Amino acid sequence: MPKKLELLDIPASVPRLGNTFTQWLGCKVLQFMGWTFEGEYPPHKKFVAAVAPHTSNWDFVIGMASVFALRLKLSFFGKHSIFIWPFAGLLKKFGGIPIERSRSHGLVAQLAEKFEQSEYLMLAMAPEGTRSKVEQWKSGFLQIANQANVPLLLIYFDFKRKVVGFGPCYPVSDDLDVEMQKVRDFYANVTAKYPQKS
């Protein structure tokens, strides 16, 4: 019998989403798969969250189960191809934003403006930008946090320990090369589902 999942304390200032059923569902999925939480959730109403490593579709399953379990109001990008019936409505309700990756939309400037106009916006992004192996992480998440003047939260899925972790939340400087190295150093000891793609 899997042990009870211990949830994180979520500050009262943080916007919430979902209900008793979705929270129960998220907890049951994580509990069945043997996952736990660690770290602290920040009290901020606006931030960019880097979620890594991203090497498998299981990352999405673990991520959505975590969002349900903690009743988080996170927004996230997804390939437009996953926004299909009967899941499209549910994905959008829980913060999904479909994007067409084959085109450039000036997303950094648009999202910086969206942050400025929003009372709250917690945007989760995968630094790799894809499940496939990449030689260099994309800096869009850093650019958005820097231009929007919002902090960066580091979230990780460690498949070796089966832990969803919430790491530091801090401001991003103008030196994106230095900031990227800090992020890569943080994730260096986190084990992906498929480490060879990480």
Side-chain angles (χ1 to χ4, degrees), residues 27-80:
C27 288
K28 286 301 180 183
V29 170
L30 293 173
Q31 189 177 6
F32 177 77
M33 297 176 70
W35 283 70
T36 59
F37 291 113
E38 69 180 15
E40 295 183 2
Y41 195 85
H44 309 299
K45 292 184 178 181
K46 298 182 184 183
F47 58 74
V48 172
V51 184
H54 180 40
T55 63
S56 162
N57 284 330
W58 283 108
D59 304 332
F60 181 76
V61 174
I62 299 299
M64 288 304 297
S66 300
V67 166
F68 281 16
L70 298 175
R71 296 191 60 184
L72 300 179
K73 191 174 179 63
L74 289 176
S75 294
F76 59 91
F77 288 133
K79 286 177 66 173
H80 68 284

Side-chain angles (χ1 to χ4, degrees), residues 69-103:
L70 298 175
R71 296 191 60 184
L72 300 179
K73 191 174 179 63
L74 289 176
S75 294
F76 59 91
F77 288 133
K79 286 177 66 173
H80 68 284
S81 57
I82 71 171
F83 287 81
I84 56 174
W85 188 89
F87 308 110
L90 185 65
L91 288 172
K92 289 178 180 178
K93 179 179 178 180
F94 280 90
I97 303 171
I99 59 168
E100 172 57 72
R101 288 180 178 168
S102 62
R103 301 175 184 174

Side-chain angles (χ1 to χ4, degrees), residues 150-171:
V150 297
L152 175 69
L153 170 66
L154 303 182
I155 300 176
Y156 52 94
F157 299 156
D158 192 322
F159 279 80
K160 183 177 182 179
R161 297 188 299 128
K162 291 192 173 182
V163 167
V164 177
F166 292 79
C169 188
Y170 57 91

Side-chain angles (χ1 to χ4, degrees), residues 9-10 13 20 28 30 33 38 42 72 74 79 87-89 99 116 120 123 130 139 148 153 165 176 184-185:
D9 289 328
I10 307 297
S13 59
T20 304
K28 286 301 180 183
L30 293 173
M33 297 176 70
E38 69 180 15
L72 300 179
L74 289 176
K79 286 177 66 173
F87 308 110
I99 59 168
E116 185 176 351
Y120 52 80
L123 179 64
T130 176
S139 64
L153 170 66
L176 298 187
R184 293 183 69 92
D185 289 345

